[in-house]
Amino acid sequence: MENTKIMSDDSEPETIQSISEDNTDTEEDIDIDSDEIEQENNNDADDEIDEDSVENEDGRATLEDSEVTENVDIRSDKGIEEETEKEIEEGEETKKEKGEKEGATKDDEVDLAIIDVEEDEGLDLEAELSKLQKAKKYIGGFWISSSDMTENQNDPQFLAKATLRELFVYSLFLFFAVLITLGQINGQSSALTTQWRNLFTRLPSVTTTRHFWKFFEEDLVDGLHWETLYNQGRKNAKFRCPTGERATKPCRLSPADRNILYNNVMLGVPRIKQNKVRNDSCIASIPQDFREAIKVCFSPYDDAHEDRGEFLPLFRKYTGKPAWIYQPPELVPGARFQGKLASYSQGGYVQNLHYTKKQTANIIDELKEQKWVDQGTRIVIVELTTYNANVNLFSFVTLVFEFPPTGGVMGNIEIEVMNLFNYKWSQDFQRMGMEITFFLFVIYYLIEALIEIKILGYRYFLSFWNILDVIVITTALSYICITLSLFYVTTYYLDAVLNIAYDYVDMTIFRILYRYISYISATNLFVSWIKVLKYLSFNKIMKQFSGTLVYSSKNLSGFSVLFSIIFLSFGQLGYLLLGSQAREYRSLLTACYSNFRTILGDFDFDAIREADRIFGSLFFLTYIFFVYFILINMFLAIVNDSYIGFKFSVISKKPEMELADFFQVGVDNIKNMTGVVDRERQVENAIKMAVEGDGFMTYLELRENLKHSNFGDAEIEVLFDKLRSDPQYNNVILEDDEVEGLESMYETGAGGLEAFKFNRSLNEDLPVKRSVVKEVETRIQDLERWMIPLNTRIDLVVQRFAQFQEQRKKRISKKLRI
């Protein structure tokens, strides 16, 4: 009510209008009161008086006086007119006060409440918007260096700052990536792998079925069961074994201490699995003439030819039914096995060994007596899992015996060592902190990449460095997801697996996840290091590597086609000529590998010559001539020529702003503050400032820039003499007459700057430009340098041939003696 009384006539209509826009009911009440006031005023005045009672600040009083005068012009007396006007004004004021009081009495509290609420909400909204804008600006500042790079490509200072900032952040990311990736490798893994190979050292020598069973009866049984100590025992021994008995024979260990190599605890028991093929799997391929004599045929392994029948013996005591009845893949824990000859099914004929040495020997004897391995056998796998608490490492050992259809046995061992308890010691939790930090960095780069993709669109993927960013982010996210999966599986399933005592322990899921982690982390770290070249490319020297590749890309693309044709042709030739005799050429792929090793100087000429005395020697000499002497030197010549051309183009360019210059600015500022002045740096900066823009500089421009750096006239003249004798600046510095010629060309329109460059090259005093002479000298020096390794290679080949000749003479002399 107080606010309503204070309001004047001038502000009343505006207040009513503002309130009516927010509240429709209030608007209707105020309109009704206004109509009543106007009707009463018209009755008192006896005429229709349309008058605005609001006196605006712009001075509408004069207009109102004129309108009142026109309405009451029938009254001639001026005094009566003034009295009438006063009466009308007093009546209007009275009626308005009544209307104001009535309207305010009804809606004053509601209107004031609405206004207060709107004001409070407006203030709160403005405060929230201000906070959001500040937060957005603060958060967006993290990615300003990457999002604004495209908008400020011509600002060297901005590019230098943005590059340094991005390099600093990326260095932190790379630091944590290196620590995490290298930290997951246990230094004892290689030593443990070596011990496993030494334990079954005779495995590669298994070549026949007889060797196979001998290995099982001796090496396998003794290697899996360490039930006694290393002492031999004596009849009159006075010392006692750990169990308390006299050491008259090798001391027996307690069951809890019977660990492989005395330190590796067996988890569960080992398992033997066999895959076979049917005896009619290749009958259809036998020629008709031989089908009467050959009734059975065992093809190479294939899932379609796998034998899924049963061959139970008449009597068995130690072996189980799964060893003689095919077990489908869903009943056999594990996964498919990739051997050297084929990929084998997860199912098969399965037999678990025993945790005691005697029972294991009995199982193997029974399998041998009942001819568990026959002509249809294509692979036998022995799998076991151990844990070494000393180094906190799990070992997954697989002994592989493949039976090729040609006969014989191929023995091999595969070992996987990994650490599943990643957070066991205090330093492991430090690694956890680094992994969390690494995850935050990945999120940061993911958001940065999304911002750049939003700004650039598909153009983002046209940059090689952006593709590397995508690879780094993708591999890092994959590494994080698989690591969390392995942690989950280890936490919730490993305890249940370790409680298995008398059955095979399947840890395939752990092996697969750990293997993927190794592959992905290695790829991520490799690509992350390659990306460092992106920041080093701002340096002129570091840019030579990428620049040489770009400069030689066209020539190398054509050369690669030529090289591929010749290389593959020699690979096929070696496979066809020597494949059946030389192991190095047993397949097309291995033949290509062997030819590539020959390029590096690693070859066995005796094996090639023994495979075929005439065509083997001819093949080797032809390959050495065309590939080693011609193609390789063509490749080196292309790269060397591209390097020289790119280096010359970099030298001839005008000086540019580099990261080193940006650092030097800060160093110079510090030196100036301490009173130390680097005159050489000031000269370089003066030259860069003079060259900037048109690519040329005059002595006048350089003199002015040097004067700003407090150089004296004597120092400037000495510097000019040095620049005149320096070939690097011959094409950059213009003499006074050349400046006048350039200005006349611009005035006459005779080709401008490019025409001036051409005319200047024609008007040199020397018959040949200094730059051309310099380029030729440089190329001659480079030619001499790369001729030295060529001579060394030729000497190496000659020495190898001399050695082969001496060995040949020795063999001939031995044969003659015999």
Side-chain angles (χ1 to χ4, degrees):
M1 295 293 295
E2 295 178 359
N3 294 335
T4 305
K5 292 179 181 180
I6 293 173
M7 290 191 305
S8 62
D9 295 339
D10 297 336
S11 61
E12 180 61 19
E14 298 177 357
T15 306
I16 293 173
Q17 185 177 0
S18 63
I19 296 176
S20 63
E21 293 177 354
D22 299 330
N23 194 325
T24 306
D25 298 335
T26 305
E27 180 181 3
E28 294 176 357
D29 295 338
I30 295 174
D31 291 337
I32 293 172
D33 294 338
S34 301
D35 294 337
E36 292 176 357
I37 293 171
E38 290 178 1
Q39 185 66 30
E40 291 177 2
N41 290 336
N42 291 333
N43 294 331
D44 293 340
D46 296 331
D47 289 314
E48 294 180 1
I49 302 174
D50 296 331
E51 180 180 357
D52 295 334
S53 62
V54 180
E55 295 180 2
N56 298 326
E57 296 178 357
D58 298 332
R60 298 178 58 188
T62 306
L63 181 60
E64 292 176 355
D65 291 341
S66 63
E67 291 177 354
V68 172
T69 303
E70 291 176 359
N71 292 331
V72 297
D73 56 355
I74 57 175
R75 301 181 184 225
S76 59
D77 191 1
K78 187 175 182 180
I80 296 172
E81 183 179 277
E82 293 177 355
E83 292 177 357
T84 303
E85 290 177 356
K86 291 181 179 180
E87 291 176 359
I88 293 172
E89 290 176 358
E90 290 176 357
E92 288 177 352
E93 290 178 356
T94 303
K95 297 299 181 181
K96 287 180 180 180
E97 289 179 357
K98 292 180 180 180
E100 291 171 356
K101 291 179 180 180
E102 292 177 358
T105 302
K106 296 178 181 179
D107 302 321
D108 182 53
E109 296 180 358
V110 176
D111 295 339
L112 292 176
I114 293 173
I115 293 171
D116 292 339
V117 170
E118 289 179 350
E119 290 179 353
D120 294 339
E121 290 180 352
L123 293 175
D124 295 339
L125 182 60
E126 291 180 357
E128 293 294 332
L129 290 175
S130 178
K131 292 180 180 179
L132 289 175
Q133 291 176 354
K134 291 181 179 179
K136 182 179 179 181
K137 183 178 180 181
Y138 178 75
I139 296 174
F142 285 107
W143 295 278
I144 188 173
S145 62
S146 59
S147 62
D148 292 349
M149 291 281 283
T150 56
E151 299 178 2
N152 299 272
Q153 294 181 355
N154 298 325
D155 187 356
Q157 290 287 341
F158 178 84
L159 292 177
K161 291 181 180 179
T163 302
L164 286 176
R165 179 179 179 180
E166 190 174 354
L167 176 60
F168 175 75
V169 177
Y170 187 77
S171 299
L172 295 178
F173 166 77
L174 186 60
F175 173 76
F176 287 104
V178 171
L179 291 181
I180 293 173
T181 305
L182 299 183
Q184 69 183 3
I185 304 299
N186 192 314
Q188 301 296 327
S189 300
S190 177
L192 185 57
T193 301
T194 303
Q195 293 303 320
W196 280 112
R197 295 189 182 277
N198 294 336
L199 180 63
F200 301 106
T201 183
R202 292 200 298 175
L203 178 60
S205 62
V206 176
T207 57
T208 64
T209 306
R210 189 186 302 274
H211 295 160
F212 168 80
W213 286 116
K214 184 177 181 181
F215 178 86
F216 265 58
E217 292 171 340
E218 298 177 2
D219 298 67
L220 183 63
V221 173
D222 294 338
L224 296 180
H225 301 282
W226 294 58
E227 297 182 352
T228 59
L229 288 177
Y230 50 82
N231 66 305
Q232 298 295 326
R234 295 180 181 179
K235 293 183 179 180
N236 299 325
K238 297 182 179 180
F239 58 90
R240 297 182 178 276
C241 296
T243 56
E245 59 184 1
R246 292 180 60 186
T248 57
K249 57 182 180 180
C251 297
R252 296 185 61 83
L253 295 173
S254 61
D257 296 330
R258 295 174 181 177
N259 303 324
I260 300 177
L261 297 172
Y262 299 118
N263 292 288
N264 298 276
V265 180
M266 179 81 72
L267 302 182
V269 295
R271 182 183 73 178
I272 305 177
K273 185 171 75 74
Q274 175 188 194
N275 291 94
K276 305 174 64 175
V277 295
R278 300 189 308 271
N279 59 4
D280 60 347
S281 54
C282 57
I283 287 291
S285 62
I286 298 177
Q288 190 67 31
D289 298 336
F290 292 97
R291 289 189 179 182
E292 295 295 331
I294 301 175
K295 301 297 183 181
V296 296
C297 181
F298 301 90
S299 68
Y301 179 84
D302 188 86
D303 289 347
H305 300 154
E306 187 175 14
D307 188 358
R308 295 182 176 87
E310 62 180 51
F311 56 107
L312 282 168
L314 297 177
F315 174 80
R316 60 182 180 83
K317 181 179 180 180
Y318 301 103
T319 59
K321 285 186 177 181
W324 310 97
I325 300 176
Y326 179 81
Q327 303 297 307
E330 56 269 14
L331 298 181
V332 180
R336 293 186 65 91
F337 182 81
Q338 180 62 50
K340 293 183 177 181
L341 302 178
S343 176
Y344 300 93
S345 172
Q346 180 179 341
Y349 301 90
V350 182
Q351 173 63 52
N352 290 340
L353 300 180
H354 205 267
Y355 59 89
T356 62
K357 185 175 183 179
K358 183 177 180 180
Q359 287 295 98
T360 298
N362 292 333
I363 292 173
I364 293 176
D365 290 339
E366 185 169 300
L367 292 175
K368 179 181 178 181
E369 294 297 328
Q370 300 295 341
K371 297 182 179 179
W372 190 63
V373 174
D374 56 16
Q375 286 180 283
T377 302
R378 287 294 171 261
I379 189 171
V380 175
I381 302 174
V382 182
E383 299 172 294
L384 61 140
T385 305
T386 63
Y387 174 70
N388 191 313
N390 300 334
V391 291
N392 189 29
L393 290 175
F394 287 84
S395 299
F396 307 97
V397 183
T398 304
L399 306 179
V400 184
F401 303 88
E402 290 188 87
F403 294 76
T406 56
V409 183
M410 298 170 56
N412 186 30
I413 182 172
E414 295 186 3
I415 305 166
E416 293 185 53
V417 178
M418 66 182 183
N419 179 17
L420 294 180
F421 297 123
N422 292 324
Y423 309 109
K424 183 178 180 181
W425 313 108
S426 59
Q427 58 268 24
D428 295 333
F429 291 96
Q430 298 176 3
R431 184 170 178 265
M432 179 187 292
M434 291 188 293
E435 290 176 343
I436 295 174
T437 307
F438 177 77
F439 173 75
L440 296 178
F441 272 109
V442 174
I443 297 300
Y444 167 82
Y445 281 112
L446 177 62
I447 297 175
E448 181 183 72
L450 294 177
I451 293 174
E452 293 184 355
I453 292 174
K454 183 179 179 181
I455 295 173
L456 300 177
Y458 72 92
R459 294 177 298 169
Y460 175 83
F461 299 97
L462 300 179
S463 173
F464 172 76
W465 302 115
N466 291 340
I467 295 176
L468 288 186
D469 289 337
V470 173
I471 296 175
V472 170
I473 295 172
T474 304
T475 53
L477 291 176
S478 302
Y479 169 80
I480 293 171
C481 294
I482 298 178
T483 301
L484 293 177
S485 301
L486 180 61
F487 177 75
Y488 175 81
V489 172
T490 304
T491 304
Y492 292 97
Y493 294 99
L494 187 59
D495 292 339
V497 170
L498 296 180
N499 291 329
I500 300 175
Y502 306 109
D503 198 359
Y504 172 71
V505 176
D506 178 36
M507 302 189 72
T508 303
I509 184 64
F510 301 93
R511 299 167 62 181
I512 293 175
L513 291 176
Y514 193 86
R515 191 182 305 167
Y516 285 162
I517 289 176
S518 300
Y519 295 157
I520 293 175
S521 60
T523 304
N524 176 264
L525 188 60
F526 173 76
V527 179
S528 299
W529 275 110
I530 295 298
K531 189 186 171 184
V532 176
L533 298 176
K534 171 185 177 181
Y535 307 104
L536 298 180
S537 62
F538 282 87
N539 184 273
K540 185 182 296 184
I541 298 176
M542 297 299 179
K543 194 185 294 185
Q544 292 180 2
F545 174 75
S546 59
T548 302
L549 294 179
V550 174
Y551 205 84
S552 61
S553 58
K554 293 183 179 180
N555 294 331
L556 287 179
S557 60
F559 172 79
S560 61
V561 175
L562 175 63
F563 181 83
S564 300
I565 294 174
I566 297 178
F567 186 79
L568 291 177
S569 64
F570 273 102
Q572 297 174 20
L573 179 62
Y575 169 62
L576 295 174
L577 291 178
L578 312 173
S580 61
Q581 301 295 327
R583 179 175 176 80
E584 290 80 4
Y585 294 87
R586 63 184 179 274
S587 66
L588 180 60
L589 185 61
T590 54
C592 293
Y593 284 153
S594 299
N595 287 341
F596 189 78
R597 289 169 55 189
T598 303
I599 297 176
L600 303 177
D602 181 14
F603 54 88
D604 188 357
F605 180 73
D606 288 338
I608 296 174
R609 191 169 178 274
E610 290 177 1
D612 195 309
R613 294 179 60 87
I614 299 175
F615 290 103
S617 302
L618 184 61
F619 162 77
F620 178 77
L621 295 175
T622 306
Y623 178 78
I624 288 293
F625 177 77
F626 282 102
V627 177
Y628 192 80
F629 288 112
I630 297 179
L631 292 182
I632 297 301
N633 288 285
M634 283 178 61
F635 172 78
L636 296 176
I638 291 173
V639 175
N640 185 68
D641 186 68
S642 301
Y643 174 77
I644 295 173
F646 176 75
K647 186 176 180 181
F648 178 75
S649 64
V650 171
I651 293 175
S652 61
K653 285 183 178 179
K654 65 178 183 178
E656 297 178 354
M657 183 70 179
E658 298 183 2
L659 289 179
D661 299 327
F662 184 78
F663 281 115
Q664 193 61 39
V665 170
V667 175
D668 291 340
N669 293 334
I670 296 175
K671 288 182 177 180
N672 293 332
M673 294 174 61
T674 57
V676 179
V677 180
D678 189 350
R679 308 295 281 178
E680 184 177 353
R681 174 59 60 177
Q682 290 180 347
V683 171
E684 293 180 0
N685 294 334
I687 294 174
K688 290 183 178 182
M689 293 175 62
V691 172
E692 185 176 2
D694 54 6
F696 289 97
M697 69 176 176
T698 63
Y699 288 106
L700 181 60
E701 293 175 342
L702 183 57
R703 182 183 294 274
E704 292 178 356
N705 293 334
L706 293 175
K707 284 289 186 181
H708 288 298
S709 300
N710 299 323
F711 275 79
D713 294 334
E715 292 178 316
I716 294 174
E717 292 299 330
V718 172
L719 178 61
F720 283 175
D721 293 337
K722 292 182 179 180
L723 292 178
R724 290 189 182 96
S725 60
D726 192 345
Q728 181 178 357
Y729 296 98
N730 284 341
N731 296 329
V732 180
I733 302 177
L734 299 181
E735 300 289 347
D736 294 337
D737 55 346
E738 293 176 335
V739 175
E740 294 177 358
L742 181 60
E743 292 176 352
S744 63
M745 285 185 181
Y746 275 115
E747 293 176 358
T748 58
L753 182 60
E754 297 299 328
F756 172 75
K757 293 180 180 179
F758 179 73
N759 292 334
R760 187 186 186 193
S761 64
L762 295 178
N763 295 327
E764 291 284 348
D765 295 332
L766 296 176
V768 183
K769 292 181 62 176
R770 296 180 182 176
S771 58
V772 176
V773 175
K774 184 66 175 179
E775 180 183 1
V776 173
E777 291 177 353
T778 305
R779 292 194 178 188
I780 292 174
Q781 293 175 359
D782 293 330
L783 183 63
E784 292 176 350
R785 283 198 298 269
W786 69 261
M787 282 293 291
I788 295 175
L790 178 61
N791 296 332
T792 305
R793 290 170 180 260
I794 295 174
D795 294 339
L796 179 61
V797 173
V798 172
Q799 291 176 2
R800 295 294 296 270
F801 274 113
Q803 293 176 0
F804 292 145
Q805 194 67 22
E806 292 178 359
Q807 294 176 0
R808 182 185 177 186
K809 291 180 180 179
K810 291 180 180 179
R811 288 196 299 270
I812 294 173
S813 62
K814 289 182 180 179
K815 291 180 180 180
L816 294 176
R817 292 175 184 176
I818 296 173

